[in-house]
Amino acid sequence: MKIRYSAIYSALILTISLSVISCGGGSETPTDEPKNTNVSDVVISHELSDAQMLNPINYSDAGAGYIIKNIFYTLLSIDFNTLELVPLVAESRPEIEVTEDNKMNITYRLRKEATWDDGTPITPKDVEFTLKVIKNPKVDNVNNKPYFEFIEDMVFYDDDPQKFTFKCKDVYILAEVQSGDLPLLPRSIYDPNDLMGEFTIKQLTENQSELASNEKIIEFAKSFNSEKHQRDKEFIVGCGPYLLDEWQTGQKLVIKKKENWWGDKLKDQGMYFDINPSKIVYQTINDQTTAKEALIAGEVDVMRGIKAKDYKELLKTDKFLKNFKQHTPPQMAYTYLGINVRKPMFSDKRTRQALAHLIDVDKIIEKIVLGYGTRAVGPIHPAKKKQYNTNLKPYDYNPEKAKQLLAEAGWADSDGDGILDNTIEGDKVKFEMSYLYNQGNDPRKAVGLMFQEEARKVGITVNVVSQDWSIFLENTKQHDFDMYYGAWISTPIPNDHKQIYHTSSYNGGSNYTGFGNDETDALIEAIRVEIDEDKRAELNYKFQEILHDECSYIYLYNPLERIGIHNRFSNAETSAMRPGYRLSGFKVNAAQ
């Protein structure tokens, strides 16, 4: 599934940042005095690697998305502080109508101020063009297309030229979010020969296979997929506040603020129109220790994802405390231990609950992630207050309770060898299990060893197994595990649980543990189409209760980000919105 960070929607992913980067390591803090005497409004942000590309339809990496969202604006976005949907190019959130035949109409009106860089107004036809690009069967965004399949047509209004309606196939909780997540493209740059002009949204929705051989479709896609629309600043143009200025591979990527940008007239209309730095420099330093030294030396202004141990060390140094502000906003993420519920030895939920009582999560947070996490009880983040079930309490570390549940599930040491056994499907089975984690991830290894020791005390043998990342991913997808350590990350949009928890996602989706039955599938499907927040909250409460009781996941913690931002900037607030800060809002302190 494609990862889309540039605007609103971000599919849940097994994130490498939570999976591969360990909390250990680091080096001694440099002793040189900070070099940063810069009082300009240029912001220098650390990045571990280059952006993949700056094509807003075809990209798939987070780093690119953070840059793209400053170049290409969408109809809607998410408020950095409130985590609510807010209008960008649209003048307001849309009107949504559910029809008698259980379809949706989503009606927008564009801001009268919104223009392209040549001064021409942005119109509904530009919105249509962007959607056509996404639906072009030869455009290299195969994983992105399904997110817009629900839009089957568009309606325009002669009496109101800035108004349009998306005609949607189904009712869906993410319809507003998805329809608003179109990075608007100027046709003059991306389709100067009007190759897509003769096709309608309806045709592109219904006739994908037939149109794949159309010469104009192919010609347009060949150009759109080409490198010029990935890296060439003359062909990377949106209606956002910044333009690509410079890209030195492996070193830096620079964007500069536009002169006379249309959004400057709307500074009182929200944070996404309060744009300050004249340039933003994305500095590539692919070694974390080197990046940390550059931060302290004042060579970069912002760094995120600092290793927990390094962050603790930084907070003890006078130079860092003098020149940088520390920020630890919550991440919209959770870590967990997945249990293979379709293996006979784990089919009894009491067995799974017993394992949960053997995991000392508070100790994991304190000793392994060094306090940079809060207890998790389910897949919905506490920041989503209305949908989060506050009645649930996490499984406590309680070996005695674990022993009781194991006995109730039929586990006993019948032969006195110190290992529990049980009769499962007519055979005597020893309680021996594997715990998988990805190779090189020291925190996950530490959790496994801690669990191994606690399990040993009650008569369970746990083999802690490290695997290469690609093998680890393949084994989880193929359900070839007993237990594994995983992490999921998302955005503040409504939770659609189908990808991870629906039984139809067992093969081909992300339901690796095999959770679910007819009742939970029905709940998931009801949640997906319930647009009334209060009614959806009731359904989500019930779903979270079942997840907690069934315990296919042992939820561990919601991570906290670790960010350093130079104190020469004001208005550098952080939030749960990835990457945790908004560079375009940074202002130089008046004292500077």
Side-chain angles (χ1 to χ4, degrees), residues 180-450:
D181 191 22
L182 288 166
L184 301 182
L185 303 171
R187 285 174 290 170
S188 61
I189 299 293
Y190 289 89
D191 191 13
N193 297 320
D194 198 26
L195 295 170
M196 295 297 296
E198 69 181 65
F199 306 102
T200 67
I201 297 298
K202 191 172 183 63
Q203 288 174 325
L204 289 163
T205 300
E206 296 177 350
N207 303 320
Q208 285 274 306
S209 298
E210 295 175 21
L211 291 175
S213 59
N214 183 283
E215 290 183 2
K216 290 186 177 180
I217 289 286
I218 294 170
E219 183 182 350
F220 172 83
K222 182 178 179 180
S223 172
F224 187 80
N225 295 335
S226 68
E227 188 170 351
K228 71 179 182 182
H229 289 305
Q230 298 177 12
R231 296 183 60 93
D232 190 333
K233 64 182 181 181
E234 300 299 323
F235 295 94
I236 298 173
V237 181
C239 64
Y242 286 91
L243 289 166
L244 175 62
D245 185 47
E246 180 184 2
W247 191 345
Q248 296 181 26
T249 302
Q251 298 182 47
K252 65 180 179 180
L253 187 154
V254 183
I255 59 175
K256 66 177 179 180
K257 190 176 184 300
K258 295 175 180 176
E259 297 181 5
N260 302 316
W261 176 56
W262 64 270
D264 290 335
K265 305 170 187 175
L266 302 171
K267 282 188 178 291
D268 62 343
Q269 297 295 308
M271 62 179 59
Y272 294 109
F273 300 104
D274 184 15
I275 306 301
N276 299 297
S278 61
K279 289 187 177 182
I280 300 174
V281 179
Y282 297 89
Q283 191 78 44
T284 301
I285 306 174
N286 54 29
D287 176 75
Q288 285 231 340
T289 299
T290 304
K292 182 187 70 172
E293 293 170 349
L295 181 75
I296 295 175
E299 295 167 1
V300 296
D301 297 311
V302 182
M303 183 177 176
R304 66 181 182 277
I306 302 172
K307 295 177 181 179
K309 184 179 179 181
D310 287 353
Y311 206 65
K312 288 290 187 184
E313 291 175 354
L314 286 173
L315 297 181
K316 297 175 184 177
T317 64
D318 291 339
K319 295 182 204 54
F320 181 81
L321 294 174
K322 177 183 177 181
N323 293 284
F324 291 87
K325 294 178 182 178
Q326 56 175 302
H327 299 271
T328 56
Q331 294 184 32
M332 283 282 179
Y334 61 89
T335 64
Y336 66 94
L337 301 179
I339 304 172
N340 195 336
V341 303
R342 299 199 185 187
K343 283 197 171 184
M345 68 185 298
F346 301 112
S347 61
D348 191 321
K349 69 181 179 182
R350 292 170 297 186
T351 299
R352 305 191 295 269
Q353 291 170 350
L355 297 179
H357 283 296
L358 294 174
I359 307 295
D360 192 343
V361 180
D362 291 334
K363 188 175 181 180
I364 291 170
I365 294 172
E366 178 188 359
K367 299 295 185 182
I368 297 177
V369 299
L370 304 182
Y372 296 112
T374 57
R375 285 297 303 263
V377 294
I380 296 180
H381 196 277
K384 300 179 181 181
K385 295 180 180 179
K386 181 168 281 191
Q387 305 297 321
Y388 178 74
N389 191 336
T390 57
N391 299 321
L392 297 179
K393 304 300 178 186
Y395 287 93
D396 62 330
Y397 169 65
N398 191 336
E400 293 304 315
K401 179 66 173 177
K403 291 177 184 178
Q404 176 190 333
L405 288 165
L406 289 166
E408 291 175 3
W411 294 98
D413 183 7
S414 65
D415 52 15
D417 65 353
I419 305 299
L420 297 176
D421 55 73
N422 200 352
T423 300
I424 298 176
E425 297 182 343
D427 296 321
K428 180 179 178 180
V429 176
K430 292 287 187 182
F431 205 145
E432 181 175 354
M433 61 179 289
S434 64
Y435 165 100
L436 300 187
Y437 72 98
N438 53 295
Q439 190 173 13
N441 193 308
D442 291 340
R444 293 188 175 193
K445 178 181 179 180
V447 171
L449 294 175
M450 183 186 296

Side-chain angles (χ1 to χ4, degrees), residues 23 89 99 144 159 187 212 276 346 351 383 391 426 468 525 577 588:
C23 295
V89 182
T99 63
N144 188 12
D159 61 339
R187 285 174 290 170
N276 299 297
F346 301 112
T351 299
N391 299 321
D468 178 78
E525 289 158 10
M577 278 285 290
V588 177

Side-chain angles (χ1 to χ4, degrees), residues 93-141:
R93 290 178 63 173
E95 297 179 5
I96 299 177
E97 174 195 14
V98 177
T99 63
E100 292 183 359
D101 56 351
N102 209 36
K103 295 186 176 184
M104 293 180 74
N105 295 326
I106 304 176
T107 301
Y108 287 92
R109 183 176 287 104
L110 299 179
R111 292 183 187 273
K112 63 180 183 301
E113 298 89 354
T115 62
W116 298 113
D117 295 347
D118 62 3
T120 59
I122 298 172
T123 73
K125 284 295 181 180
D126 296 309
V127 178
E128 179 192 39
F129 169 67
T130 303
L131 188 56
K132 285 181 180 182
V133 174
I134 292 172
K135 287 178 174 283
N136 181 309
K138 303 302 286 186
V139 164
D140 190 16
N141 66 332

Side-chain angles (χ1 to χ4, degrees), residues 19-38:
S19 306
V20 177
I21 299 172
S22 72
C23 295
S27 62
E28 293 184 1
T29 302
T31 57
D32 294 341
E33 288 299 316
K35 299 177 182 178
N36 193 343
T37 58
N38 181 16

Side-chain angles (χ1 to χ4, degrees), residues 12-24:
L12 287 165
I13 61 166
L14 188 59
T15 176
I16 293 176
S17 63
L18 292 176
S19 306
V20 177
I21 299 172
S22 72
C23 295

